[in-house]
Amino acid sequence: MSVEATAPGKVILFGEHSVVYKGPAIVLAIDKRAKVNVNRRQDKRIYFDSLDLGFAGFFEDENYIPVKGETWRGRRLEALRVSAFKTMEQLDVESGLDLIIRSEIPIAAGLGSSAAICVAIVAAVGELFDGGLSKREICDLAYEGEKVVHGTPSGVDNNISTFGGILRYERGAEMERFELEGSLPFVIGNSKRKRSTRRLVGRVRALREREPDLVDEVIDSMAEVSRKGLEALVKRDLPRLGDLMNINHGLLSSLGVSIAKLDLMVHASRGAGAYGAKLTGAGGGGCMIALSERSKMGAIQKAIQRCRGDPHVIDVSYEGVKTRRLE
Amino acid sequence: MSVEATAPGKVILFGEHSVVYKGPAIVLAIDKRAKVNVNRRQDKRIYFDSLDLGFAGFFEDENYIPVKGETWRGRRLEALRVSAFKTMEQLDVESGLDLIIRSEIPIAAGLGSSAAICVAIVAAVGELFDGGLSKREICDLAYEGEKVVHGTPSGVDNNISTFGGILRYERGAEMERFELEGSLPFVIGNSKRKRSTRRLVGRVRALREREPDLVDEVIDSMAEVSRKGLEALVKRDLPRLGDLMNINHGLLSSLGVSIAKLDLMVHASRGAGAYGAKLTGAGGGGCMIALSERSKMGAIQKAIQRCRGDPHVIDVSYEGVKTRRLE
């Protein structure tokens, strides 16, 4: 028997960077998913095979032996091992595993691909051993994997991949999950420039040390944008959401986290009729997100392509992690 | 006898847009000047000849008769007539004039070319008729011309063109003029996109009507940037000035006044080693300004050219309007 699990990626609509200091982040699960297939092995090896991620190899204890692709994929690969290992540890089983990973979520683009993969691994391995894990448990185990990549991540990514929907996250407050009626499509544009969240969070922190008053004012404004953005989202006030996205993009730029290619795609999307557009995630690369009427999405995608970006139409997804047994 | 007068253009370092609502603008006179040559005519015609501005023609009373170039250059040309006419009116003379206008200041780029020309016209005509006009009187007469173009302009442009140097302007406060030791070079990049200050001020006003709290917060931050920017300028703290310029550019972007080409030149300048870079003036076109060490200015100019912008190295100029008699 094998088990398949899938989990959604995410996109940050409001609150990237400011959430580190103040106010909420508004995060949407998206209809791009990571898929994990798992089978038991007779030996103790944990095999990973991912064509999308460009590697195949196995762990023998904690040593990674490559079969295809690069010899060592660093923390990201280690996160996968930890997710599988911690799940078996929790269920008090020891086994070798064959894990096949496929993902529709662009990698290292701020779309939560690593969390989605960790969540899907935990869910798949849990189901394989009849663990009866609750979503909460899946989420927490995936967090162990995420910690390997991100140190002490906010926990947003594993939560959104596990539960789907719309999440309001604020430090020191309970996460709140929302659902809205109907679809809520966006166009995202991938700059195809990899970026490091850690480095960009550090850059904002350094600027804040140099200009504390101003940066705190900007962060206050961003927190306000997030709060108003959630209101506008709940009311489906798309023109207002667009204004708020545009304002947010400028505020993020003022903290030094945008790059020319993101700005270009943002302007191109607005020029093609978007209500608004902004970078999403840590910046320094990764993606931008544009909100528009459906009728303009074709033009926006073309505009993003003309900037040499990679456009995708995405929609919010209320479907969190899912598993199914295959014979 | 003929008279020549020259007057400097300007660049806004901090406070564009926010100054309409709150806080100071910091404006520098630059070492690019408009030059006006004036001679009496025996008839009552007021001739204007400007190759740079692309026209030559004359006023017979208030009717414009083109000789070269477009038939009617709108308010800008009318501003020149008003400057000459009001000056003669003030001096109680009536005469025809031959005015030759040459300008090193890019037109419609937010660099104060129209005010510099008005100031130079007033000074030249005043000197031609031995009017003994004070700088204050020159400034005020040029303001009459500026009003034709801009409605009720702040008065910054005619002041800086008349007096030169560094000006701190804030609504409801006296303008303050500063001088610093030594040179203070910048690179500017002209997008070669014409823009309308009026339209962009209107766009900010419209956004402020839709999102009053947020826009006021952003304007507060911009006012704070201007105040800190003046401190940093006086101390010649170039890295800090750079940070503040970068923050200011993002805040201006959040109000929707930047365009892709300005953002591109800003990023390119930073990438080429600038301490900071921002759009200058109303946005929607016009220029950006980058601060750097002298050794990096060549690289920054090349970077701006690669974005198809038009780079100039400028320096602050303490020389206001000047006249001299030619035989």
Side-chain angles (χ1 to χ4, degrees), chain B residues 63-276:
Chain B
N63 302 314
Y64 180 66
I65 295 98
V67 176
K68 268 188 282 187
E70 293 171 35
T71 46
W72 173 240
R73 305 273 307 179
R75 290 195 305 264
R76 278 181 197 280
L77 187 47
E78 174 68 3
L80 309 192
R81 188 190 72 79
V82 167
S83 298
F85 179 80
K86 291 269 179 186
T87 306
M88 290 193 290
E89 197 181 56
Q90 164 103 355
L91 300 177
D92 209 15
V93 295
E94 264 189 272
S95 174
L97 300 171
D98 266 325
L99 290 143
I100 300 169
I101 297 164
R102 299 286 178 268
S103 181
E104 306 160 352
I105 309 164
I107 310 297
L111 299 177
S113 109
S114 75
I117 292 169
C118 287
V119 166
I121 287 173
V122 170
V125 172
E127 184 68 17
L128 186 70
F129 296 108
D130 299 318
L133 295 174
S134 69
K135 282 199 169 177
R136 184 79 270 150
E137 286 169 310
I138 292 170
C139 186
D140 292 346
L141 283 162
Y143 186 72
E144 298 298 316
E146 278 284 279
K147 280 204 286 197
V148 175
V149 187
H150 296 297
T152 49
S154 63
V156 168
D157 285 15
N158 48 305
N159 267 280
I160 196 100
S161 278
T162 305
F163 296 101
I166 300 170
L167 221 60
R168 181 196 188 281
Y169 168 74
E170 185 167 359
R171 284 196 159 198
E174 283 288 304
M175 279 192 213
E176 289 176 58
R177 184 176 179 281
F178 294 84
E179 295 203 10
L180 297 176
E181 293 274 312
S183 73
L184 186 71
F186 290 90
V187 182
I188 57 174
N190 188 350
S191 70
K192 295 175 283 184
R193 305 272 167 83
K194 295 195 178 177
R195 91 269 104 85
S196 149
T197 300
R198 210 182 276 246
R199 196 173 62 80
L200 285 147
V201 168
R203 182 189 289 195
V204 172
R205 184 174 299 119
L207 181 64
R208 185 164 177 260
E209 276 161 22
R210 298 200 298 279
E211 293 295 341
D213 303 346
L214 270 173
V215 169
D216 281 347
E217 278 181 42
V218 170
I219 287 167
D220 283 352
S221 297
M222 289 164 89
E224 192 62 30
V225 167
S226 288
R227 283 187 289 266
K228 290 181 193 294
L230 182 57
E231 281 171 33
L233 190 64
V234 169
K235 289 183 188 158
R236 296 187 74 89
D237 183 346
L238 303 192
R240 186 173 194 206
L241 270 174
D243 272 345
L244 293 167
M245 289 167 74
N246 289 338
I247 292 171
N248 201 349
H249 181 72
L251 295 171
L252 285 162
S253 301
S254 78
L255 300 183
V257 299
S258 192
I259 61 169
K261 194 165 180 181
L262 288 170
D263 285 355
L264 268 185
M265 292 192 290
V266 161
H267 283 293
S269 300
R270 293 174 190 161
Y275 288 118

